[in-house]
Amino acid sequence: MKVKPKVTFGSHRTTIYVSLVFLVLAASLQALVWAYWQNVLEPRLRHEAASQAKVLAHSQEIRLVDAILDTSPQRLQGLHETIDEILLFTDAASKEPLFLGLGLEIDYDVVSAERGSLDLQYGMKHCQDCFLSEVGLYSPISDELIGIARFHVSDRLFRSLSRDVHKTLFIQSRLGTLLLLVVWVIVIFLIRKINSSRRQAEIANQAKSAFLANMSHELRTPLNAIIGFSELMGYDTDLSEKHRENLAIIHRSGAYLLDLINDVLELSKIEAARQTLTETAFDLYEALDKVTEMIRLRAEKKNLVLEFERTNDLPRFVRTDERKLRQILLNLLGNAVKFTQEGGIALRVRSEKDDFDGTADGDTDSGFDALRLYFEVEDSGPGIAAVDRTRIFEAFTQTEGGHLKGEGTGLGLTISRQFARHLGGDIKVGGALGQGAVFEFTLLAKPASASEVTSHRPARRVIGLKPDQSTARRQPIRILVVDDHSENRALLQQLLKRVGFAAKPAENGREALALFKQWQPHLIWMDMRMPVMDGYEATKMIRRAAAKMLVPPPVILALTASAFKEDRDAVIAAGCDDFVRRPFRESEIFNKIEAHLGVDYIYEYDESPSTETTPSGNVSVDGLRSAITLLPHSVIQEFKTAIELSDMDRMAQAVAEIGEVHAALARGLKELVDTFQYDRILSYLDDVENSPVGNPGATQ
Amino acid sequence: MAKSLKNSCRKFVHGLVFLTAFAYAATPSASDDFTERRITAGAKIFRALLAADVDIAHKTDSDGKLMLGLVYIDDTGNAQVAAATLMHRDDPRIREMQIRIQTLPLAECTAEVNGPLAGVFVTQRLNAEQLQILTAFANARHLVVFSPFQGDVERGVQSGIAVEARVRPYLNINALRAARVRLKTFFFKVAKVYEG
């Protein structure tokens, strides 16, 4: 599958935002420069120019005063000449006159002259752009004010100065804007570069996810067929012991391969931070017993002693992720068995209160109380060298012993440590080389009550539907199996038909839609990834078709090989009622059908250890009772008579006859016979005979 | 030989230290220079102001002279500078009237112990209370009061100097009205007017 990069608007948005910021900055810079010029620089320049004009004008005071106070008859002519000379002064730079106009106003109370005779006006009287400077003319002898001279000073200097400063300022501001532009280009370039790298990383991540999803699907699909068919064939009573053993090897190998795939996927989920915590309340004692029982078999094969100790105060019911705890324990104990050649293995479990609110008095009522569970797995194996103690928790890393064994992926301890940390604890390893290894791990759990613990329904084998489990018209329950893999279709069809359902196959979504319209199944097992039309599309189309046809909508159960929760969420979002992860167990299929259609099954026997087990530990009371109901009445009567007469030969004969019909039941009954539990057999047979339903097998 | 060289060096160092100390003591501070300049410039404006007083001819003493009071508080230094500026001129008369300079402490000034005053020149910065006393006296006697110190016109003194590109008279129009001092209209054209 080719991974297409997602076109995100995020990067474009960032570019636009950054560009806007720079645009605002550039506009602000221009506005600031303009405001600075208008409000600060230009007024200051004008003020400076006005001051200059005043100084210039003031410098002419003495000459004018001298001319005015001249008492000779040529005073007026002298005054004219002085003013003419003043108006001749030019600016050295611009070669333009400095003074554009000059007017005199004389105080004739002080100056002895005919009134108005000296009030002269030269040049411009009114000048819009000039600087007007009024200069008081004081007598140098008496310091009296003798008159006022009004100078119109050219603003030429101001204009040229203003133009130069304005040009400099705006060149600098343009440079600032240019610099801003350069920075903007660099920032945009960097953003694009970062976005490109991020997109590459996203593509790589998507490719990885796609690879995992593909691997998950492509590996689980054939594994489903291997495990499923080997399981199904195991029920065939005609198989020879040799074939049964071979089949068991196939089944075990498939299961082992599935474990390896699960390990790799689990690590991928950890690396992608996609692992989820599923906390449930469960019976810790029972969980520990199950684990130790599983390991005990393997230990006994190697003549190893498995010791299990738990402290008296260890709570029986706790709430944590049971699956993860079981996986850690199985991994550590499995490793211990694998590497220990003689001696034994010990599992020790204890608990302590763990007060989250940090109070030292241990008053758990005051805060959220929790338990810290301590597990210790000790073995008498070769031990782990000090240098390996950190390395063993790294992915795909094994000790020298592990390499020599050539088993495992080197992921078990990595996953176990991540799980322990995810559960609020950690794993550490102790011991010494040549003296065995000690793995200790802790995790947090909450106390639970017995009522919270949902009883684990034993995985019993369904062997048929109870009578009157058909539809109103006495038709069998119709189930459509949609899967593009023929072997998977065949497996599921066989399972369903064996029990008594009517099952039809469809190769893809389009075929399923056509069959739905024609056959209207009660339930559809829908593979989600198929060619032509996938399960998502088919589910939607079938839902639409049901509404259009005004028929009850079918229950659609998804079969998904995906290991990721998001994919399962997508399945539900597409309109499926539920899902089962592939490879599935037979019991999961039947349990889901039961949950959604409310059917009742007839079971053969329990596969899990129970409180009421036969001496061999693999047949439960319920299982035996259910299986006996299938026996013909004559067989039950014959078996009863044989037991009542304590006739061993007739009992053996009856068991052999039963074996022809139900091998597993026969094995269970034989164990009871061999251990002389006749009373128990009789009670089962009586129960079946006296039950109101009776034994349906008698009527078949 | 060495001893004489040593003595010479010692004398040179002592001389240098003495000269430095003398030069430092003899140099007036920048602040004193600034005040002196304002007083010198102010004295000329003060003369122009008195010449512009329409009623100045009625403010002479029994000898027909204009008595100008130079007021100080506790330091006569500035008063002497002002007196020198006012007196040492080719023609120290104002409107052809002879002048008499009186350097007076504030209390004596307001008591007019030496006769009626024609105008008062403040030579030392006054505090608010002293200023109030002087203003009340000037208002009662319709006298021109002049202070060369920056900010005094805004504090209520009738006149002072405005130093910008050039030195101009600075008039407090309300203070002049309060003292009922009449100045030539012409004078207002060249003066900076404070109306606060």
Side-chain angles (χ1 to χ4, degrees), chain A residues 30-48:
Chain A
Q30 293 302 315
L32 270 172
V33 168
W34 183 82
Y36 178 62
W37 169 253
Q38 286 290 323
N39 301 316
V40 181
L41 216 52
E42 202 266 353
R44 193 188 287 174
L45 278 172
R46 185 173 288 280
H47 184 261
E48 290 298 322

Side-chain angles (χ1 to χ4, degrees), chain A residues 603-670:
Chain A
Y603 296 96
E604 190 186 51
Y605 61 87
D606 201 342
E607 288 174 345
S608 68
S610 161
T611 49
E612 289 186 77
T613 53
T614 60
S616 66
N618 65 351
V619 181
S620 74
V621 175
D622 286 346
L624 276 175
R625 279 189 182 138
S626 297
I628 289 169
T629 56
L630 297 170
L631 295 175
H633 184 68
S634 57
V635 175
I636 292 174
Q637 279 304 318
E638 171 59 21
F639 200 19
K640 268 182 78 175
T641 309
I643 292 169
E644 282 164 359
L645 295 172
S646 298
D647 187 336
M648 300 292 284
D649 291 337
R650 281 179 74 173
M651 276 188 257
Q653 179 65 29
V655 168
E657 280 178 27
I658 291 167
E660 287 172 12
V661 185
H662 283 293
L665 174 61
R667 281 199 297 275
L669 288 171
K670 188 172 182 299

Side-chain angles (χ1 to χ4, degrees), chain A residues 400-437:
Chain A
E400 193 63 31
H403 282 300
L404 290 174
K405 282 264 172 198
E407 288 178 21
T409 53
L411 293 175
L413 285 174
T414 313
I415 293 166
S416 296
R417 170 175 266 189
Q418 292 300 328
F419 278 0
R421 286 178 175 175
H422 202 52
L423 295 172
D426 205 349
I427 296 184
K428 60 179 181 179
V429 59
L433 196 62
Q435 293 174 19

Side-chain angles (χ1 to χ4, degrees), chain B residues 108-124:
Chain B
E108 286 182 24
C109 172
T110 52
E112 291 187 291
V113 289
N114 298 321
L117 293 167
V120 176
F121 190 102
V122 179
T123 63
Q124 207 174 346

Side-chain angles (χ1 to χ4, degrees), chain A residues 538-597:
Chain A
T539 301
K540 286 175 192 164
M541 301 278 276
I542 288 169
R543 290 259 178 257
R544 236 175 279 155
K548 219 171 180 179
M549 291 162 67
L550 300 174
V551 295
V555 172
I556 302 179
L557 303 178
L559 279 167
T560 171
S562 171
F564 300 116
K565 188 179 174 296
E566 302 92 281
D567 295 332
R568 286 180 241 160
D569 292 344
V571 160
I572 299 298
C576 293
D577 296 287
D578 210 337
F579 63 86
V580 167
R581 185 176 153 177
R582 245 198 288 254
F584 51 74
R585 283 184 305 178
E586 184 186 309
S587 58
E588 286 177 282
I589 294 293
F590 290 123
N591 286 345
K592 289 288 180 190
I593 296 173
E594 183 188 16
H596 287 278
L597 294 182

Side-chain angles (χ1 to χ4, degrees), chain A residues 37 41-50 129 131 154-165:
Chain A
W37 169 253
L41 216 52
E42 202 266 353
R44 193 188 287 174
L45 278 172
R46 185 173 288 280
H47 184 261
E48 290 298 322
D129 300 323
F131 294 105
S154 167
D155 69 341
R156 178 77 196 178
L157 179 68
F158 163 70
R159 277 189 281 119
S160 75
L161 201 65
S162 169
R163 196 176 51 240
D164 290 348
V165 174

Side-chain angles (χ1 to χ4, degrees), chain A residues 336-567:
Chain A
V337 172
K338 190 158 74 180
F339 294 108
T340 305
Q341 300 307 324
E342 57 182 354
I345 296 135
L347 169 65
R348 300 179 195 97
V349 188
R350 65 187 174 87
S351 69
E352 276 178 20
K353 276 185 179 174
D354 192 294
D355 198 353
F356 276 165
D357 72 353
T359 52
D361 58 6
D363 180 10
T364 51
D365 290 334
S366 62
F368 169 69
D369 61 332
L371 292 165
R372 185 163 288 277
L373 302 179
Y374 293 86
F375 300 85
E376 189 180 289
V377 177
E378 187 176 3
D379 64 52
S380 57
I384 297 165
V387 287
D388 286 336
R389 281 183 200 161
T390 335
R391 282 182 56 242
I392 54 170
F393 291 107
E394 292 168 12
F396 306 106
T397 305
Q398 287 184 313
T399 58
E400 193 63 31
H403 282 300
L404 290 174
K405 282 264 172 198
E407 288 178 21
T409 53
L411 293 175
L413 285 174
T414 313
I415 293 166
S416 296
R417 170 175 266 189
Q418 292 300 328
F419 278 0
R421 286 178 175 175
H422 202 52
L423 295 172
D426 205 349
I427 296 184
K428 60 179 181 179
V429 59
L433 196 62
Q435 293 174 19
V438 183
F439 282 88
E440 290 174 1
F441 77 94
T442 64
L443 55 89
L444 285 174
K446 294 170 198 164
S449 61
S451 59
E452 287 178 79
V453 177
T454 49
S455 61
H456 289 275
R457 191 171 172 171
R460 297 171 296 173
R461 187 177 178 225
V462 173
I463 54 173
L465 280 167
K466 278 191 178 171
D468 64 30
Q469 289 297 305
S470 302
T471 57
R473 291 181 183 178
R474 294 225 159 258
Q475 289 175 340
I477 294 166
R478 297 181 295 277
I479 297 181
L480 182 61
V481 178
V482 190
D483 200 316
D484 58 323
H485 289 88
S486 57
E487 57 272 31
N488 284 344
R489 283 199 307 274
L491 172 65
L492 205 49
Q493 255 187 294
Q494 280 189 40
L495 276 177
L496 296 169
K497 279 184 175 172
R498 182 175 56 77
V499 170
F501 293 111
K504 279 191 178 182
E507 206 174 325
N508 54 53
R510 190 180 292 167
E511 217 173 88
L513 181 64
L515 260 170
F516 169 75
K517 287 176 182 170
Q518 180 197 332
W519 193 48
Q520 289 161 31
H522 299 100
L523 188 143
I524 300 171
W525 282 107
M526 182 74 79
D527 182 18
M528 301 313 285
R529 291 176 61 170
M530 292 178 293
V532 184
M533 184 191 284
D534 65 17
Y536 300 95
E537 184 66 18
T539 301
K540 286 175 192 164
M541 301 278 276
I542 288 169
R543 290 259 178 257
R544 236 175 279 155
K548 219 171 180 179
M549 291 162 67
L550 300 174
V551 295
V555 172
I556 302 179
L557 303 178
L559 279 167
T560 171
S562 171
F564 300 116
K565 188 179 174 296
E566 302 92 281
D567 295 332

